[in-house]
Amino acid sequence: LSELLEHFRNAFDWAKAQKEGRVVPKPGTDDAHDAGLEAMKAAEASLEDERKKWAAELGDRTIEFWTPQGNTSEPYQLCVSEATLGRTGVPEEFEMVSQKKGFKRFYTQEIKEIKDQYNEAKAQTEEALKQAANRLFARFSTHFPLWKRAVSAAAELDCLIALAKVSAGPGMCRPRLVDQPGPFLKISGGVNPCVAHSLAGRDAIPNDITIGSEAGAAADEAEAPKMLLV
């Protein structure tokens, strides 16, 4: 399993997967995703240049971009205070998109174009994420027989370790195997370890159990059972 597990360890960012609930490829593992991220960063850098330009032109360093929650189609609206607009006037390049008390939000033609580039790059990145996840799940599924064997082996080992720990406890003994024609099971003073554990320190009542016939098997093989279901 080592080589295959190493591939899945390195295929995506496990911390992001746990935090965001989706598979995010690590840089360099998916070309389409990397290209989408680069395009988004380039658009964000261009938008920041536009913000700085208008902050300098209007003499207001508090000008910033605003993106409405839940509306990803119109991000990066240039938010300018009404006080600044009252002092400088509204530039003719500004197209008002939304407003709140004391502020108005605008697009310019340049910002709209860059915003569209950003949205396109974001959509490309999201599609790349979806395709990367599909490929990862598909590759995982092709190894289903191997995963099944690994899980079965782990489950069996878990049971054997649990039985080993219980058998090492007080009052336990090893069974004695007897060579005889017919099967039988004989337990003297037996206690179910699960019952004993559930009693939390109180004594469990031991029981004697005999299945099959130890004496009968030795005396008459014809009367001995051929199998036991325990």
Side-chain angles (χ1 to χ4, degrees):
L1 290 172
S2 299
E3 184 177 343
L4 194 56
L5 290 176
E6 191 65 21
H7 165 78
F8 287 106
R9 287 193 186 99
N10 297 326
F12 61 95
D13 190 319
W14 285 74
K16 276 190 177 181
Q18 289 181 324
K19 184 179 179 180
E20 302 177 11
R22 60 180 185 170
V23 172
V24 179
K26 287 185 177 180
T29 60
D30 189 282
D31 292 341
H33 184 256
D34 290 346
L37 288 180
E38 285 300 317
M40 286 175 66
K41 289 179 183 177
E44 288 173 334
S46 298
L47 286 165
E48 179 61 13
D49 290 340
E50 287 294 308
R51 186 198 67 79
K52 289 179 179 178
K53 181 185 81 172
W54 287 110
E57 190 160 327
L58 299 178
D60 183 357
R61 289 183 298 177
T62 66
I63 290 176
E64 61 184 2
F65 282 117
W66 177 81
T67 297
Q69 258 188 330
N71 182 2
T72 57
S73 63
E74 294 186 338
Y76 292 105
Q77 299 175 21
L78 196 66
C79 186
V80 186
S81 70
E82 291 181 346
T84 297
L85 295 172
R87 175 173 52 81
T88 65
V90 179
E92 63 180 30
E93 296 95 333
F94 281 14
E95 175 188 329
M96 196 172 81
V97 184
S98 62
Q99 62 182 333
K100 73 170 186 176
K101 187 176 180 180
F103 293 89
K104 291 184 178 181
R105 307 181 184 110
F106 303 91
Y107 277 147
T108 65
Q109 186 59 36
E110 290 80 4
I111 292 175
K112 285 173 68 175
E113 291 175 0
I114 301 170
K115 176 263 298 184
D116 290 342
Q117 292 170 10
Y118 174 85
N119 282 341
E120 185 178 341
K122 186 176 181 181
Q124 175 187 336
T125 305
E126 290 296 325
E127 180 62 25
L129 280 178
K130 189 186 300 182
Q131 295 301 324
N134 289 342
R135 286 194 298 271
L136 189 74
F137 298 151
R139 177 164 185 179
F140 186 89
S141 296
T142 60
H143 299 284
F144 176 78
L146 182 61
W147 305 130
K148 186 176 181 181
R149 293 201 303 275
V151 170
S152 296
E156 187 173 347
L157 184 61
D158 181 46
C159 289
L160 292 173
I161 291 173
L163 290 172
K165 290 182 68 175
V166 171
S167 67
M172 293 291 172
C173 63
R174 293 183 180 181
R176 184 165 56 93
L177 303 181
V178 179
D179 183 14
Q180 69 165 50
F184 76 97
L185 175 67
K186 183 177 181 180
I187 300 174
S188 299
V191 174
N192 187 312
C194 295
V195 173
H197 178 75
S198 67
L199 292 176
R202 289 174 290 160
D203 290 338
I205 299 175
N207 288 284
D208 296 344
I209 300 170
T210 300
I211 304 176
S213 175
E214 180 182 7
D220 187 355
E221 183 178 341
E223 295 181 5
K226 300 302 180 185
M227 61 175 290
L228 296 180
L229 178 63
V230 180

